[in-house]
């Protein structure tokens, strides 16, 4: 499936101007048109706003006054897909199918796509869809020529947890801001983590996996490491303890699998298939869907890495990549100011690098205003208003749309599954009129593929051999461990030498003390005789006489005779 050979769908066609709809019934108190009538009315004005001349993606047909108008097609200009977008709506309203529909047409247009598969039901985009009565009915309603089609896909997983080619990042590449978000650190702790990264970078200590970071943190609060940060603020033992405990909890969630080498090259997402269609990269996340902060932050790393690596290209005829960020509200929950600033900057600037980003969530209020302001294309599925909070969210959503011929509060609560309110950027960059739309049906399988087929697609990929096996090379942990072992060995040798010296000095002192305090032995008989006064007097007398005799003998004088 990863090498699907289905022919690309035609996407370059230029539709002729659509005939105007007649005036007729009402929607929200506004006169509209019905299918097959004469020219005029708001329906015709809305449809005219989507009559683009260049390549565009077909979303569906206009809904007006409760009637689907198949001759009024609602589209998105291909060149405007890098202006970002939002797909929102309550659970079960069809957001995932909308993603699939847009991704299929992007792939057919030669644009690579990245999708995060939270629930495990997007893998079907690699296989042709299954015909059926409901599909045929939807196709007739929206004037769609539906053909079952599979698209070229590559499947990935976070660190090899679950099926897919493992995606890994080094701790250094992930960076302190994103890591602080996933560790749920406060601002002070985030700043301290940034200081730790700075120290590791200046000392050539590679932070590849979590044990590297743990080793550096532990070193900087040790007696040996404390002086290292004195000049730039230092690291308190309390903050270090919080970071280490957070890392421990993070590792217990299996996060150690996500950090390491080989680090994934995000340029792999920019590939096209042999037939020219864009490759659909599907990140399989069901195995980690209980760790929402982890996978949402990891998705942000992927986007930030693309931003750092790609060159500036300005406005293109079509994007280089469109990135769908599912469950986007998880990314922003509890985010620090630094983290939100990082996201806002990335979304604002990555457009000029040819990358479009679509956030997928339940209501627009899940996305910060600064980020929402960057999203030029909107597909809003139905919202519920069962509670006061729901009603408040509905009103807030309505205020984010341009002025409309519809009563949006009524419309948004009455949309059916697979229907949405759409506004996009025209080819000139201006917002199009708000259009209620019955969306087309995806042409690929609307559900997961068989596990065996998914496994085969993963193992047959050329990237499997490149990224499957983890590598653990020398980095901060090994360097610090070796240095600490050497320091301990030196300390032990010095201590042993000092102990030996002390022992030698003590032994010498003890020997001297023993010598002084030992009793003298009784002299022998010979010693007593030699030491007596009589013996010494006799020795002196004999010595004097003997001396004179020797002198005479030597100098040639003889003893006088009497």
């Amino acid at each position: 499936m990863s090498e699907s050979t289905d022919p690309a769908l035609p996407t370059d066609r230029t539709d002729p101007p659509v005939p105007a709809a007649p005036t007729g019934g009402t929607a929200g108190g506004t006169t509209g048109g019905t299918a097959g009538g004469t020219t005029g009315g708001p329906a015709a004005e809305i449809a005219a706003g989507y009559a683009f001349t260049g390549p565009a993606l077909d979303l569906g047909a206009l809904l007006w006054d409760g009637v689907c108008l198949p001759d009024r097609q609602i589209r998105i200009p291909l060149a405007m897909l890098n202006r970002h977008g939002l797909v929102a709506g309550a659970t079960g309203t069809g957001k995932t199918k909308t993603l699939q529909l847009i991704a299929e047409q992007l792939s057919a247009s030669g644009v690579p796509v990245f999708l995060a598969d939270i629930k495990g039901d997007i893998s079907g985009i690699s296989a042709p869809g299954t015909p059926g009565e409901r599909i045929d009915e939807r196709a007739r309603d929206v004037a769609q020529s539906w053909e079952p089609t599979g698209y070229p896909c590559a499947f990935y997983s976070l660190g090899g947890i679950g099926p897919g080619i493992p995606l890994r990042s080094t701790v250094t590449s992930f960076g302190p801001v994103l890591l602080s978000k996933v560790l749920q650190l406060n601002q002070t702790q985030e700043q301290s983590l940034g200081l730790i990264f700075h120290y590791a970078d200046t000392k050539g200590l590679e932070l590849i996996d979590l044990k590297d970071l743990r080793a550096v943190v532990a070193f900087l609060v040790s007696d040996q490491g404390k002086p290292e940060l004195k000049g730039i603020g230092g690291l308190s033992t309390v903050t270090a303890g919080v970071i280490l405990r957070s890392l421990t909890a993070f590792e217990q969630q299996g996060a150690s699998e996500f950090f390491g080498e080989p680090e994934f090259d995000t340029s792999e997402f920019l590939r096209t298939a042999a037939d020219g269609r864009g490759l659909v990269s599907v990140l399989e996340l069901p195995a980690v869907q209980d760790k929402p902060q982890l996978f949402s932050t990891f998705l942000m790393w992927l986007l930030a890495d693309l931003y750092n690596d790609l060159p500036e290209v300005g406005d293109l005829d079509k994007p280089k990549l469109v990135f769908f960020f599912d469950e986007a509200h998880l990314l922003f929950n509890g985010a620090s100011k630094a983290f939100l600033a990082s996201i806002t900057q990335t979304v604002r600037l990555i457009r000029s690098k040819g990358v479009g980003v679509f956030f997928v969530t339940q209501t627009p209020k899940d996305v910060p205003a600064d980020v929402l302001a960057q999203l030029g294309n909107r597909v809003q599925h139905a919202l519920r208003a069962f509670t006061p909070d729901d009603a408040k969210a509905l009103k807030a959503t309505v205020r984010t749309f341009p002025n409309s011929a519809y009563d949006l509060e009524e419309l948004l609560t009455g949309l059916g599954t697979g229907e949405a309110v759409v506004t996009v950027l025209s080819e000139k960059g201006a917002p199009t009129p708000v259009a209620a739309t019955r969306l087309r049906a995806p042409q690929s399988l609307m559900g997961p593929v068989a596990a065996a087929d998914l496994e085969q697609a993963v193992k047959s990929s050329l990237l499997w051999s490149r990224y499957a096996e983890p590598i653990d090379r020398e980095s901060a942990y090994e360097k610090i461990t070796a240095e600490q072992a050497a320091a301990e060995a030196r300390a032990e040798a010095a201590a042993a030498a000092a102990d030996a010296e002390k022992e030698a000095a003590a032994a010498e002192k003890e020997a001297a003390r023993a010598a002084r305090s030992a009793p003298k032995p009784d002299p022998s008989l010979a010693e007593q005789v030699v030491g007596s006064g009589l013996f010494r007097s006799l020795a002196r007398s004999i010595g004097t006489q003997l001396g004179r005799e020797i002198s005479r003998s030597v100098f040639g004088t003889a003893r006088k005779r009497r």
Side-chain angles (χ1 to χ4, degrees), residues 23 96 371 456 529:
T23 57
T96 301
V371 177
Q456 181 181 1
V529 171

Side-chain angles (χ1 to χ4, degrees), residues 434-499:
V434 175
T437 306
R438 181 163 295 165
L439 299 168
R440 293 186 170 210
Q443 299 187 120
S444 56
L445 182 64
M446 289 187 281
V449 297
D453 293 338
L454 179 58
E455 186 74 13
Q456 181 181 1
V458 171
K459 296 294 178 63
S460 62
S461 170
L462 297 176
L463 299 183
W464 176 255
S465 60
R466 188 180 307 172
Y467 294 107
E469 291 299 322
I471 300 171
D472 189 10
R473 64 182 176 90
E474 184 184 59
S475 50
Y477 172 80
E478 288 78 12
K479 291 178 180 179
I480 290 176
T481 301
E483 178 59 31
Q484 288 177 335
E488 289 175 3
R490 290 193 298 269
E492 289 177 1
D499 290 343

Side-chain angles (χ1 to χ4, degrees), residues 120-478:
D121 55 0
I122 302 181
S123 60
I125 196 171
S126 62
T130 303
E133 184 178 341
R134 294 178 62 184
I135 294 290
D136 292 340
E137 181 182 357
R138 175 61 62 107
R140 287 193 299 271
D141 285 348
V142 300
Q144 178 184 9
S145 178
W146 190 91
E147 294 180 6
T149 310
Y151 295 83
C153 289
F155 297 96
Y156 300 94
S157 64
L158 287 185
I161 297 180
I165 299 161
L167 296 183
R168 298 185 185 90
S169 164
T170 63
V171 172
T172 294
S173 179
F174 205 75
V177 174
L178 289 177
L179 192 57
S180 295
K181 169 66 166 61
V182 81
L183 294 179
Q184 302 182 50
L185 303 181
N186 62 30
Q187 184 176 2
T188 300
Q189 294 154 0
E190 180 179 330
Q191 292 170 347
S192 295
L193 188 60
L195 193 64
I196 293 166
F197 272 69
H198 172 74
Y199 170 79
D201 186 53
T202 56
K203 296 296 182 179
L205 298 172
E206 297 89 347
L207 300 178
I208 293 176
D209 50 28
L210 292 180
K211 72 176 185 296
D212 291 325
L213 180 58
R214 180 188 297 280
V216 174
V217 175
F219 170 74
L220 289 174
V221 291
S222 67
D223 292 338
Q224 183 182 357
K226 281 181 180 178
E228 296 285 337
L229 293 182
K230 277 190 176 179
I232 51 175
L235 176 66
S236 76
T237 304
V238 174
T239 299
V242 171
I243 293 173
L244 289 172
R245 287 193 295 274
S246 298
L247 284 172
T248 299
F250 194 36
E251 288 175 309
Q252 288 174 347
Q253 296 178 6
S256 56
E257 301 289 338
F258 311 142
F259 294 95
E261 291 182 321
E263 184 175 48
F264 187 75
D265 183 354
T266 51
S267 66
E268 304 285 6
F269 296 144
L270 304 177
R271 294 181 297 146
T272 56
D275 60 5
R277 291 184 296 171
L279 188 69
V280 180
S281 298
V282 182
L283 178 59
E284 292 293 325
L285 293 170
V288 293
Q289 61 180 310
D290 59 336
K291 306 172 182 62
Q293 282 195 320
L294 175 61
F295 68 69
S296 64
T297 308
F298 201 91
L299 290 179
M300 193 62 217
W301 169 77
L302 293 177
L303 192 59
D305 194 70
L306 283 166
Y307 166 72
N308 289 328
D309 291 347
L310 291 175
E312 293 281 339
V313 294
D315 290 326
L316 302 173
D317 292 336
K318 62 182 181 181
K320 297 176 70 172
L321 173 72
V322 176
F323 192 102
F324 287 91
F325 211 125
D326 202 1
E327 301 293 340
H329 64 282
L330 300 173
L331 180 68
F332 302 109
N333 287 347
S336 68
K337 290 182 179 179
F339 183 74
L340 290 176
S342 176
I343 295 175
T344 304
Q345 181 185 38
T346 300
V347 172
R348 184 174 67 249
L349 299 180
I350 203 170
R351 177 190 67 79
S352 63
K353 300 195 174 190
V355 176
V357 182
F358 273 69
F359 291 97
V360 185
T361 188
Q362 295 194 0
T363 70
K365 72 181 183 64
D366 292 335
V367 181
D370 289 343
V371 177
L372 192 62
Q374 309 296 323
L375 311 182
N377 303 297
R378 299 274 302 277
V379 180
Q380 176 67 59
H381 288 265
L383 291 174
R384 310 301 182 212
F386 298 143
T387 68
D389 286 343
D390 290 342
K392 190 179 299 183
L394 174 62
K395 291 181 180 295
T397 298
V398 169
R399 288 196 297 270
T400 64
F401 280 92
N403 291 332
S404 168
Y406 297 94
D407 181 341
L408 287 179
E409 283 195 40
E410 179 181 347
L411 178 62
L412 286 173
T413 56
L415 291 171
T417 301
E419 297 177 346
V421 173
V422 174
T423 179
V424 302
L425 293 180
S426 70
E427 292 167 310
K428 296 181 180 180
T432 59
V434 175
T437 306
R438 181 163 295 165
L439 299 168
R440 293 186 170 210
Q443 299 187 120
S444 56
L445 182 64
M446 289 187 281
V449 297
D453 293 338
L454 179 58
E455 186 74 13
Q456 181 181 1
V458 171
K459 296 294 178 63
S460 62
S461 170
L462 297 176
L463 299 183
W464 176 255
S465 60
R466 188 180 307 172
Y467 294 107
E469 291 299 322
I471 300 171
D472 189 10
R473 64 182 176 90
E474 184 184 59
S475 50
Y477 172 80
E478 288 78 12

